[in-house]
Each structure stands twice: as C-alpha cells, then as structure tokens.
Amino acid sequence: MTRISTAQSQRHRITVRGTVQGVGFRPFVHQVAGDLALGGWVKNVGSTVLIEVEGQPSGLHSFREMLENHPPRLANVDQISTVQLDAVGYRGFEILRSEKSLDEKVLVTPDAAACADCLAEIADPAARRYGYAFTNCTNCGPRFTIVADIPYDRINTTMAPFSMCADCQAEYHDPNDRRFHAQPICCPACGPTLSLVKASRQSLGGNALQEAATLLRDNKVVAIKGLGGFHLAVLANSELAVNRLRARKHREDKPFAVMVCDLEAAQALCEVSDTEAALLSSPARPIVLLSRRANAGIASGVAPLTSDLGLILPYTPLHSLLLDAVGGPIVLTSGNVSDEPIAFHDQEAEEQLGGIADAFLTHNRGIRTRTDDSVVRVVAGSAMTVRRSRGYVPNPIQLPVEARRPILACGAELKNTITFARGNQALLSHHIGDLKNLETYNSFLGAVEHFERLFGIIPEVVAHDLHPGYLSTSFAQELSGVDLVAVQHHHAHIGACMVDNDHSDPVIGVAFDGLGYGSDGTMWGGEFLVADLLDFERMAWFEPVPLLGGDAVMSEPWRMAAAYLDLLGEAESPDVEVALRQPRWNDVVRLASSDLAGPPTSSVGRLFDAIAALVGVRDVVNYEGQAAVELEQIVDPHETDAYSARFDGNNTFTVRGSDFVASALADLRGGVDKRRIAARFHRGLAETVVAACDRVRETGGPQTVALSGGVFLNKVLLEHVIAGLEEKQFHVLSHRRVPPNDGCISLGQAAVAAARD
Ligand code: ZN
Ligand code: ZN
Ligand code: FE
C-alpha cells in the first residue's frame, strides 16, 4: 500500500506572489499541508513565498485550491505559479528560514481590524488575554501606523520597547499558532497598558476603560488614542454631550461619524445594503456613509442638515471593549482643532485637546504615522472611496503603464496625498490634508521621507501640479537632481480615474471640481477633456465667470451668485433675496467690472455655490463643499423636470452654466419650492453632461467616459450621470478605490509622469 502511494506521489514547486508576507501565510501553508498529509517546506524568498509540496495528486489539488480560494484574511494573492518535479520523498512539512534578497522589498501591509478569533479571546474569562485592549495576531492588528523602518520586524515598530514574555515568545515561535511571527504580539503581562488621564493631568487609578465609559455615560468628552491618532468621543444619543463637543471643537455643522458595536446596531440607525454591510465589517473597517432611518436614536446635533450618517464598527479590541462598557453608540471624530491635522502624540494631544476633552483614554504604544479613518460610500451599487487612509494604505495600486524610473508625485494643496511609483506599482499615501496648515505641511515632508525609507524608493522623476502657488509645487521645484513633470490638475483627475479602473485607452474625461489651475492660467473646474495618460485636449468647458474676491470666494458661496447674476444682468434686481441678505453685495458686484476681479473660472463646484446661495440654502460655508452637500440633501426625489443649458461653439464648445442660474431664478420668482429647484438643477446638470459627451463623441471622441473631481462625490448627480451615459451606450468609469476629490491627484500625476517618461 505504502509503495503504491509513493509511486503516485508528485512534487510541486509553487511560487506565490502578492501581499503574502507578514500576513500569516507560512503558518497557513504549514497548517494546510499538515491537514492534507503532504510533505515539503515553505519559505519567504524576497517578497514571494516559495513552497515545495509532495504527495498524492488529489492532495496537491486540494492544496492548490486552498491557496487560491482560502488564503489568510490579510493576504492578497496576485499570482500562483507551479512547476512539476519528481518526488523526492519528503517526510513532514517544515517552515524554513527566509532568504532575503536585497533588491526586493517586503511591503508593509495596512492596519487591520481585530479578527473574530482575537475578539472571542478577549471575551473569554479563561483566556490570558481576557479584556486585553491590545490583543492582535497575524490576521489582524496594527501594521502601517506602527512601522518606523524596514524590514517589518518588531524592532522596527513602536512595539520595540516591549519585550515579549515567555508565553508570547512561545506563541511567536510556534508555526501552528496564529501568532507565529506576529510582530506586535503582546499580552497583559508584557504589552502596552491603558491609562485614563483627566484634563487636569491627574492620572486616575482603577480600570481606565471602565472609568472612561462612566465619563462618557455622564455626558463627558473623552479623547481616545486609537490606531492612527486621537479621537474625541461622546455619547451619540445625548444632545447635551454632542452639543458640548461641537461648542468646544468649534465645529458648527460638519457631520460627526458614529461608532456602533456591531452590524445589528448599524441597521437600527441606518439602511444597510449587503454591499454596505460588507464594507462596514471588512478588515479595513472604514467609515461608511449611509442613509439614516427617520427614527434613528441619535442626537440631532450629530449630523445636522443631512439625512446621511457615517457609521463605523469597532476596529481595535480597545474600541470593542469600550463600546461594550458604554452600552450604546458613540460619536468618534478626529481629535483636532478646526483645520489642524489629527493629534497622534500624547503630549501634542494634551496640548491641543486639553480644552475640549474632559479626560484622555490613552496608552503607551506609540503611533509612528498619523492616519485618519477612511471613508467610503456606495453609489450606483458599488463602493466609492471618499477618503483613503487607515486600512487601505499602503496597499499598492497597479499602474496600467510601467514607471521606467522611480517617481514621486506631490499631489494637490487641499486633501493632499503623495504617490510613489516604481515599475507597475503605485504606492498612494494616507490622507495628509491641507498643506497650508504648517503642521500638515510638516507631515507631508515626513511622509515623503517615510515612504522613501519604507519602500526603498529614491525618486528620479518628480511630478507636480501646474499651480505655481501650491506648496507641493514649490516643494517639487526646490528638489535638485530630479526631472520634473508638471501635470495639469484635471488631467491628473482623469488619469487617476483611469488607473482606478485599470484603463489606459483614450477617454472623454469629465472633471468637475472646486478650482484647479488651467493650462491657460485661468481656474478650471468644469472640463470635458479627451485624454489618455500621456496627454489631453480640452474639448469643452463651462462658460467662465469671474471670481469676485480671491480666496473669500471659497468660503462665501453668495459671491458666486453675485457673479452669475451680474452676467445675467440681474444683480441689481430688487427681488433677489440673496442680494438683500448680503450688505456687501453691491461692492462685490462692482468687482466684476474692475481690475480686482480674480481670474475667470469654469468651475462646476462654484456653480453649485451660486445655486445654493440663490435658493437660500447657504450663503457662507464652514467646510469645503458644504453648499453643494446641502443642496444635494434637499433634492426632491419625485421631481421629473430638468433645466437645460445651451452650448456655444462647434468642435470645441462652452456650456452656458448661467442658463441654470437663470432657470432657477425664474422658478424662484414663480414660487417653485427650493427642493424642486435643487432637483431640476441636479437632473439638468446630469443631462447636460450626457449631451456634452455625446457631442464630443460625434466629433470623433472615444466611447468611454471617465468621471472625476470632488463634484462627483454628489450621489444624486453621479447616479443620474452614470444612468444617462449608459443609456447612450457609453462605457462609464467612476472612482472606486481612490477618491474623486483631490486625494486622487498624486496618483494621476504619477500615472501621467510614468506614461511620459
Ligand atoms: Zn487576530
Ligand atoms: Zn506576553
Ligand atoms: Fe480637483
């Protein structure tokens, strides 16, 4: 019997590529081979996993099937190649020591939410990690946020100061343990500890977690140290606590995110589709923007002026334990003051948040890289990223073109990210933020250095925006010994959307955003480009209107209403309410005919401002994009009419945005409800996009349309545009893994630079 089976034995040498290191792949292979009674070995070679496995063909088949279809939770298998060899009579299965080749760097993986095994362990009174807030294993836990250097070993993480106890050592070295080579492994005997510090700097004894829960239940504001920085928390169903947080944080009406204990609790507050449920419980654990139920048990101050609600499930054992102790949902918002980036060092947090938080629930495990929560929403049935950060970074994104030399792309000014590219891989950084803030600019500089070190990339080509005033542009221009590539802002948007969809053929790129520097020195933002990754042609754009008053235009939408109404000859009409509300209306209108008007803009984001102010939704904003967000919120879903806009020109043409403003004004005068006006504007704008794309296609343009720019965060608009384009047989690309807003600019710049090099 034994002899027969030996005769039938085969040996396979299998190479596995992808995210397969630091994710428990070798113990998994060891386990599977053991279960199937196969002999051989597994080891890491460079960034791949090499396996030799020997046994009966049916066993080898099952083995391969497990590799393909049931890899460890955090692994991402890109490719499996197999070579058949003669059997050599392996006995048993071993994990061999790694061979590290110098030219191949092991990728650091993203932080991952606590796995079911770890959660079961902390809930088990008999387990030694019962109630322990820092429990993790190879399938979960901190990664990117704690890594200081490569290789990804404990010594190069913020876990370095903690030396493993004998029990943890044993688990770490046991190939059959799910903590085999888990770098952040720890337990109550040897790992980080929680502490609760009152704002008065008095450290409280007792159980920090229970104390924090008590304070929260008592309507207090508690700062909580998470994976990528500090959050501020209050009880989500307490009007008093939420208002207290808003008042202290000087955050007037920007919605807060809410952490709920599980999916069931999420479903009690919001409508949750299967796609949304999968996102909520994915290892990346992002904030998911959902539609709130009418009777949701949440304080009205959590997300005023919107029926959306951002929900997130606990992603560390600390969060799970805290939610259990509190017994209800909590607001969990970035620990920062207005425009500052999220605080992530203890001392900095105490200084910045001391006036906001009543207490700090903190711990002694350091955070190496400040990383915000990611944000996603489901549009037209698929996930669209709004902010790509914790849980997704630094997963590489495949480029449809090869970067011949290493590239650094410096991104935009607001919602900045950076991208490093080499070969076919783009490494898009975490959300960095608004570079005009000094602290954020410093973290931009830090991120450039950190990525260079982590991924061993020394850029030879540096891509930047055309805008001469962006700090990211001056940063690039001051570097020496590199080749610079300037990429127009909206070309970068469309390039990013193409990369996001792994597309490299020419597209009609529709780029609608706030403001971006155009090739002609005016401010673009309502563009129809025929583009590939190499270059673009501007085929159509919204009719330019003057920016009345420089930077003030960004925060005062009523100025855009003034610009459009002036264009229509209606600025002085006595029945325009927005004019009556604004004491400086006439002065601002006069700017239009003076030398003081800013450059003209074709921005659709600014057209939204004009309509929002005209109908009385919002004259002045507290955060970027607020006017458009609130206009979208009031859209009457039952409205069937739509405005239209004329086109001027032939092969290249302009879209008369002022036609929308004129129609809205006429409806206002006719007493039409503003909800219907908002709906007619959204529907009309979508129809205009479809008509303009149709016209570009008629003149020989491509069949594929790529939609990018912050305006396409608008779900009502995006769904109408996608439906309209598909009805006309267009192939539509919209954003999925990277956001349509300026968070995608660095990725687009990198792709264009790679194509041009
Ligand atoms: Zn785990
Ligand atoms: Zn231990
Ligand atoms: Fe933009």
Side-chain angles (χ1 to χ4, degrees), residues 73 113-119 121 135-141 178-179:
R73 179 174 184 244
C115 72
D117 290 336
C118 285
L119 290 178
E121 212 174 330
T135 302
N136 64 79
C137 72
T138 37
N139 296 321
C140 74
R178 80 172 198 285
R179 296 198 168 89

Side-chain angles (χ1 to χ4, degrees), residues 165 290 517:
C165 68
L290 299 162
Y517 198 84

Side-chain angles (χ1 to χ4, degrees), residues 98-251:
S98 301
E99 287 172 22
K100 284 231 158 73
S101 67
L102 287 172
D103 54 338
E104 287 191 276
K105 306 282 183 197
V106 176
L107 286 180
V108 175
T109 55
D111 300 86
C115 72
D117 290 336
C118 285
L119 290 178
E121 212 174 330
I122 62 170
D124 174 6
R128 69 190 182 91
R129 291 187 178 84
Y130 176 58
Y132 185 53
F134 304 93
T135 302
N136 64 79
C137 72
T138 37
N139 296 321
C140 74
R143 295 284 190 282
F144 177 69
T145 52
I146 61 165
V147 174
D149 207 343
I150 48 155
Y152 173 59
D153 285 333
R154 188 183 185 93
I155 191 72
N156 289 324
T157 71
T158 60
M159 281 299 291
F162 302 94
S163 50
M164 287 179 221
C165 68
D167 288 342
C168 286
Q169 286 261 7
E171 292 168 338
Y172 182 86
H173 291 293
D174 177 3
N176 287 314
D177 195 279
R178 80 172 198 285
R179 296 198 168 89
F180 178 63
H181 286 188
Q183 301 305 332
I185 184 176
C186 59
C187 74
C190 67
T193 47
L194 281 174
S195 53
L196 188 81
V197 183
K198 280 273 182 106
S200 54
R201 309 199 96 248
Q202 149 203 19
S203 189
L204 299 177
N207 185 325
L209 200 118
Q210 292 299 336
E211 293 273 4
T214 306
L215 287 171
L216 285 169
R217 280 198 306 263
D218 201 20
N219 295 315
K220 296 288 195 289
V221 179
V222 180
I224 301 169
K225 188 176 183 180
L227 274 182
F230 279 80
H231 286 104
L232 290 162
V234 290
L235 218 53
N237 57 15
S238 161
E239 216 67 69
L240 172 70
V242 172
N243 291 341
R244 181 174 277 169
L245 176 59
R246 282 212 181 272
R248 293 189 193 166
K249 209 186 170 200
H250 303 298
R251 178 147 148 166

Side-chain angles (χ1 to χ4, degrees), residues 352-393:
Q352 286 180 19
L353 310 177
I356 302 176
D358 296 300
F360 291 79
L361 178 60
T362 184
H363 57 75
N364 53 349
R365 184 179 71 201
I367 298 172
R368 172 57 183 80
T369 302
R370 177 205 319 269
T371 315
D372 296 84
D373 291 326
S374 294
V375 183
V376 299
R377 98 185 288 184
V378 172
V379 180
S382 27
M384 175 173 75
T385 302
V386 177
R387 180 167 69 202
R388 185 181 182 273
S389 225
R390 178 195 45 77
Y392 297 103
V393 176

Side-chain angles (χ1 to χ4, degrees), residues 496-510:
C497 186
M498 291 170 69
V499 173
D500 204 355
N501 291 277
D502 200 23
H503 185 97
S504 53
D505 291 334
V507 296
I508 299 174
V510 183

